[in-house]
Amino acid sequence: MSTRQSALAWDASMAIEALAAADSALWVWTPSEDRLRVTGASRPLGLGPLAPECSGAAFAAVAMPQDRALAEALLKPQAEGTEIAVRLRMRDHPTCLWRGVWLEDGLRAAGVVALETTFAGSDRDPLTGLLDRRSFLARVGETLTRAGDYELVVADVDRLRRLNEALGHERVDRVLSALGSRLAAAFSGDDLPARIGEDEFAVLVRKGTGHVPGRLRQALEQPLRVAGFDIYPTVSIGAVTAEGGPDAPDPGELLRRVELAVEQAKSAGRGGAAAYGRALETDSLSRLALESDLRNAFVRGEIEAFYQPIVNLKTGAVAGFEALCRWRHPKRGLVPPDEFLTLTDEMGLMNELGLLMMTQAARQLAEWLKRHPMAGKLFCSVNLSVGEIERPNLVEDVARIIEETGLPRGALKLEVTEGDIMRDTASAAVVLARLKEVGASLALDDFGTGFSSLSYLARLPFDTLKIDRYFVLTMDRDEGSAKIVRSVVNLGRDLSLEVVAEGVENAGLAALLLQDNCHYGQGFGYAPALPAQEAEVYLNESLSDGAAPIRARSA
């Protein structure tokens, strides 16, 4: 053998020394011979009494009693190519991870065993340090091999997208990291806490350890402070029970069931909770049907704009409308927006919806302006959906719509949220300026609920600020809300911006807003969103009476 060949030759003794130094070992299991061979760092792994070889029964006997079912599952013959990933605790030793594969038509299995900490980086969520989705499912599968009753609970962090818009991804990562730490502190020992999605945490526990959803909520819903902001997280919780043993459900199927429960909990609003039941399977099938119907609704023209009046508080005249989408289903009737807007977003149809609403609203407004010249400078507001400001061809579409309908400059008003602006202010400023150039006016929606910089507001080409309805609804009984409303109105006037107050539910609130010199009011005190024909009737009546009617008090 040449010197070069000698240098490249495999030195088995050096390989064994390297395994021992890394607290790892190789193992080979031959069922026909009932022989498990171990080579490497057998002692620190708790395998000293078994090395260099032992029987299957001896191997299972050295495992912790609660892990013996896992040890026996590792030894059970499988088809060739079946992968092995099992965590075992040998007596008086840390948890070890056994990885390997079945070979030669399932005649033997071979792999490596090491302390779990050796593999920690590969199965942990890097942000929280909890188990990631893949490893969590693997651990659930291992745990369910043991007899007993278990509960899988998943918590979905509410309004994470809104937090991302307001705080930015880096700060939200700090929020999620803190939630992960709280979950790890609340569940330990044999419990399995994990982060299984961007905004989802999970835990598998053996039943009888207390009210698990309550423990989970208590851990995650404590307030925290990030970058100077007080955050009050809420979670929607789903739960499912399972019986361990040979007939245990597949981990993926179990997770599917609990996700159905989470969706049910979210439908009840923030902070909801639900348990899996067979009825949810029917609801899931109904959702699939709803998705199909929604996709066809765009083709069949079932999505239509309703119009909520916006009233000049000083004169009482209708100044304009806000176009809000509604779905007129052929069998279900009018589908509420909260039942299909989230689904529209999930299906990637929000940009299509936004274009449809702009087109309908512009055409309707053009007709009203022709038929009602006494209405003056009537305008119509349309919401840009989250992220729509970044859509290619947005400016070109707006320019085309304004040109085709012949609307005067500023009559079509586009509403954007603070979150959309804050994601990329420089890019948003360019798009907003171009929208103004082609004839649209611009409103900043829900002002006061985000964390935008006032310097951005002064530089961006907005025409209108809209005060979030919460502050308006509570301004007659909450001095803090009243101060916020007055501050926004004064800020708008200082920046030469018109101010629209949403949530005007009665004449009392309208009077307070007028006292604060707010320009416009919008809310159920005047009218809800109306079909186009009814909205025109409302406009006609307002023109005839000289002012829009408003309720004296809330219903």
Side-chain angles (χ1 to χ4, degrees), residues 328-350:
R328 202 178 291 278
H329 193 282
K331 295 181 179 178
R332 299 179 55 181
L334 208 60
V335 181
D338 57 359
E339 288 189 21
F340 74 88
L341 282 181
T342 300
L343 185 58
T344 303
D345 189 19
E346 292 173 0
M347 294 172 65
L349 296 173
M350 289 302 284

Side-chain angles (χ1 to χ4, degrees), residues 127-141:
L127 187 61
T128 63
L130 299 173
L131 292 171
D132 60 23
R133 185 184 184 93
R134 179 186 57 80
S135 54
F136 176 69
L137 287 172
R139 293 286 295 274
V140 169

Side-chain angles (χ1 to χ4, degrees), residues 492-530:
R493 289 191 172 276
D494 289 342
L495 296 174
S496 300
L497 302 175
E498 294 180 329
V499 179
V500 178
E502 297 183 288
V504 181
E505 301 295 289
N506 53 58
L509 291 175
L512 289 174
L513 290 165
L514 180 58
Q515 182 180 320
D516 290 338
N517 294 313
C518 185
H519 299 93
Y520 301 109
Q522 174 184 352
F524 284 89
Y526 292 107
L530 303 168

Side-chain angles (χ1 to χ4, degrees), residues 156-159 217 220-221 232-236 270-271:
D156 186 291
V157 181
D158 296 322
R159 303 181 72 191
R217 190 180 297 282
L220 298 181
E221 289 193 346
Y232 298 87
T234 61
V235 293
S236 299
R270 296 173 61 185

